[in-house]
Every structure is written in C-alpha cells, then in structure tokens.
Amino acid sequence: MLTANKLMPQGGGLAPVLLKRAATVELDWDVRQKSRFDITDSQGRQIGVFLPRGTAVRGGDVLIAEDGSLIRVIAAPQPVLVITHCTEHGTPFDLTRAAYHLGNRHVPIELKPDHLKIEPDHVLAGMLRSMHLIVREGEEAFEPEGGAYGAHGASHGHSHGTAPVGPVLHPDAYSGTHAHHDHDHDHGHEHRGHGHSH
C-alpha cells in the first residue's frame, strides 16, 4: 500500500496540466476531517493517508503519495440540511442568528452568503424552523468553516494552524424557552408544506 503524508491545499500552485492528469478520490466530510484514513483512488490504488493531527482535507486539495504521484481530492456529495431565510416572514439576518446559535452547539457549519449547510440533525432542524428558517434536505458537498484559527478553509489555499471546526460561542446564548415558543404559523404560512419545507 502506498502512503501519502503531504497535502497541497487547493493544489498549491501546481500546473493545471498536472492537476488534470492526477488521480482523484471522492471523500465525504466524515473522512476528510480525519488526519489518518485509507482510500482507493481513481486508478484503483490503495493509499494510506497520514497527515499532521488536526488537518482537515478540503475539496480541491492534493495529496502527494510517497512515490511523488498526485491525488486530487473531490468533496463527495453527502446528506446535508440546507438552511435559507424565509422571504415572506424573515430577513437575511435570520441566517446570521442561525449561525450564531448553531455555533453555540459547536456544530460544523458551511457558510454561504445566502444559505447555511449542516449535517442532518432533526433536533437542530426543528430549532431552525422555529426561528422561521427554511430547512431542506439535500445531497451536496459539505465544506464547513474551520474556525478563525482552524485548518485552511475553502476560500484560500494556506494554513494558519489548527483548531476545532466551527465557531466557539457561549453555550447559553440560545435559551430553551425561546426554542419552543409555539409558533404555529396560523397566518397561512405552514413551514412544512408549501414547497420550501421549513
């Protein structure tokens, strides 16, 4: 079995022709957040990956095997919850609030300008719907934030060190009483029904 113990974030300046010729491997977030795992690349090679502890592998990163060959990592589609604000009864700021409350729970979150993504969790989905957010199930690549001092993020190709994934905020910021404020949407806006499945 080959081993790979080097990682080039986002290909680190490799020539496009080299990236195009590189073997590939599709990995979900559960695997990519580990520093040691086994893979089978697109050429059928078994490779043991041994990276520095705390390293998270992102889609677009390139692993370097001991023989010098390259393996380009693709973020595999996986079950996620996609969270958007309700245009009828909310504002885009609702997403900021949602990110804050999810951060309180140390939940890995992928942040986008118009939506959030988290791994499936029916309790969190209920909390988010109670905040008037739209929550739908999807099958998409998942690239959560690495934290302010975390491993390299998807947005830039260099590392600043390691830290737990997700923002770390005060755990009492979201009171349980607010989470169950019995918002039954009797104003004609049933959040689980009409297409956007709150």
Side-chain angles (χ1 to χ4, degrees):
M1 176 187 280
L2 274 174
T3 62
N5 56 18
K6 292 181 182 175
L7 180 75
M8 297 186 73
Q10 303 302 296
L14 288 170
V17 65
L18 291 177
L19 291 174
K20 190 173 181 179
R21 290 178 186 164
T24 58
V25 63
E26 279 199 38
L27 304 172
D28 65 18
W29 175 244
D30 186 55
V31 174
R32 289 185 288 112
Q33 65 180 314
K34 297 173 183 172
S35 51
R36 282 158 176 64
F37 51 88
D38 295 333
I39 59 173
T40 302
D41 71 11
S42 58
Q43 298 174 2
R45 299 180 303 169
Q46 300 284 319
I47 300 167
V49 179
F50 301 91
L51 298 171
R53 191 169 300 280
T55 302
V57 181
R58 302 290 182 169
D61 287 354
V62 175
L63 296 163
I64 304 175
E66 60 189 333
D67 64 357
S69 60
L70 307 175
I71 306 101
R72 183 166 51 86
V73 177
I74 298 167
Q78 64 181 78
V80 293
L81 296 180
V82 181
I83 303 144
T84 53
H85 81 278
C86 176
T87 55
E88 291 181 55
H89 301 98
T91 71
F93 182 71
D94 292 338
L95 284 177
T96 304
R97 289 180 60 239
Y100 177 82
H101 295 310
L102 290 168
N104 287 341
R105 290 155 172 77
H106 304 276
V107 175
I109 316 167
E110 181 174 343
L111 303 173
K112 296 292 185 182
D114 61 349
H115 69 274
L116 308 173
K117 273 190 244 178
I118 61 172
E119 292 174 297
D121 184 306
H122 71 279
V123 174
L124 292 177
M127 177 193 82
L128 293 163
R129 288 184 176 113
S130 76
M131 296 167 64
H132 311 287
L133 290 153
I134 300 167
V135 180
R136 69 169 176 83
E137 296 179 359
E139 192 86 12
E140 303 179 12
F142 184 51
E143 294 283 10
E145 285 292 299
Y149 302 98
H152 70 280
S155 60
H156 63 283
H158 61 275
S159 173
H160 296 286
T162 59
V165 171
V168 179
L169 302 170
H170 194 275
D172 298 323
Y174 192 86
S175 71
T177 54
H178 187 72
H180 304 287
H181 70 283
D182 196 27
H183 185 72
D184 61 5
H185 298 95
D186 57 4
H187 48 354
H189 179 66
E190 168 50 33
H191 284 213
R192 294 182 184 272
H194 64 322
H196 69 218
S197 189
H198 254 22

